[in-house]
Amino acid sequence: MPHRSALGRLAASLLALALVLGPAREAAAQRALSQVLDLNRQGMDMYNNLEIEQAVALLNQALAAATRGGVTGAPLARTYVNLGVVSIGGLGDNGAGLEYFIHALEADSSVSLD
């Protein structure tokens, strides 16, 4: 019977670990989402102020934060849309803008331009 007892302890330990890590993972995901949204806002503020290079840098940081933090769906799509807008409107790079728009639609097919 020691075998079952050891399995029981292992199962209890794994459950306890899952209960501890679950909220920590959720908090990290929430921080990543918040960072992505904030960087997008800052990036588009820079774009609206015609500070194009800073806008590109901030939006690329948002994209990196989304990748690291596992942010998907609408927030990721919005980041790609914003990069597309800045690429076309700020840099005159229609090809890059189109690629960003395609990535946006892949991330969330309901995304649209503001």
Side-chain angles (χ1 to χ4, degrees), residues 12-25:
S13 296
L14 290 175
L15 178 60
L17 184 61
L19 291 173
V20 169
L21 292 181
R25 243 186 253 141

Coordinates of all heavy atoms in Angstrom, one line a residue, residues 12-25:
A12 N -1.8 15.2 -4.5 CA -2.1 16.3 -3.7 C -1.1 17.4 -3.9 O -1.5 18.6 -4.0 CB -2.1 15.9 -2.2
S13 N 0.2 17.1 -4.1 CA 1.2 18.1 -4.3 C 1.0 18.8 -5.7 O 1.1 20.0 -5.8 CB 2.6 17.5 -4.3 OG 2.9 17.0 -3.0
L14 N 0.6 18.0 -6.7 CA 0.3 18.5 -8.0 C -0.9 19.5 -8.0 O -0.9 20.5 -8.6 CB 0.2 17.4 -9.0 CG 1.5 16.7 -9.4 CD1 1.1 15.5 -10.3 CD2 2.5 17.6 -10.0
L15 N -1.9 19.1 -7.3 CA -3.1 19.9 -7.1 C -2.8 21.2 -6.5 O -3.2 22.3 -6.9 CB -4.2 19.2 -6.4 CG -5.5 20.0 -6.2 CD1 -6.1 20.3 -7.5 CD2 -6.4 19.2 -5.3
A16 N -2.0 21.1 -5.4 CA -1.6 22.4 -4.7 C -0.8 23.3 -5.6 O -1.0 24.5 -5.6 CB -0.8 22.0 -3.4
L17 N 0.1 22.7 -6.4 CA 0.9 23.5 -7.3 C 0.1 24.2 -8.3 O 0.2 25.3 -8.6 CB 2.0 22.6 -8.0 CG 3.0 23.3 -8.9 CD1 3.8 24.3 -8.1 CD2 3.9 22.2 -9.5
A18 N -0.9 23.4 -8.9 CA -1.8 24.0 -9.9 C -2.6 25.2 -9.3 O -2.9 26.2 -9.9 CB -2.8 22.9 -10.4
L19 N -3.0 25.0 -8.0 CA -3.8 26.1 -7.4 C -3.0 27.3 -7.1 O -3.5 28.4 -7.2 CB -4.4 25.6 -6.0 CG -5.5 24.5 -6.2 CD1 -5.9 24.0 -4.8 CD2 -6.7 25.1 -6.9
V20 N -1.7 27.1 -6.9 CA -0.8 28.3 -6.7 C -0.4 28.9 -8.0 O -0.5 30.1 -8.2 CB 0.5 27.8 -5.9 CG1 1.5 28.9 -6.0 CG2 0.1 27.4 -4.5
L21 N -0.1 28.1 -9.0 CA 0.3 28.6 -10.3 C -0.8 29.2 -11.2 O -0.6 30.1 -12.0 CB 1.1 27.6 -11.1 CG 2.4 27.1 -10.5 CD1 3.1 26.1 -11.4 CD2 3.4 28.3 -10.3
G22 N -2.0 28.7 -11.0 CA -3.1 29.2 -11.8 C -3.3 30.7 -11.7 O -3.3 31.4 -12.7
P23 N -3.5 31.2 -10.5 CA -3.7 32.7 -10.3 C -2.4 33.5 -10.7 O -2.6 34.6 -11.2 CB -3.9 32.8 -8.8 CG -4.5 31.5 -8.4 CD -3.8 30.5 -9.2
A24 N -1.3 32.9 -10.5 CA 0.0 33.6 -10.9 C 0.0 33.8 -12.4 O 0.4 34.8 -12.9 CB 1.2 32.9 -10.4
R25 N -0.4 32.7 -13.1 CA -0.4 32.8 -14.6 C -1.4 33.8 -15.1 O -1.2 34.5 -16.0 CB -0.7 31.4 -15.1 CG 0.4 30.9 -16.0 CD 0.1 29.6 -16.6 NE 0.8 28.5 -15.9 CZ 0.3 27.3 -15.6 NH1 -0.9 27.0 -16.0 NH2 1.1 26.5 -15.0

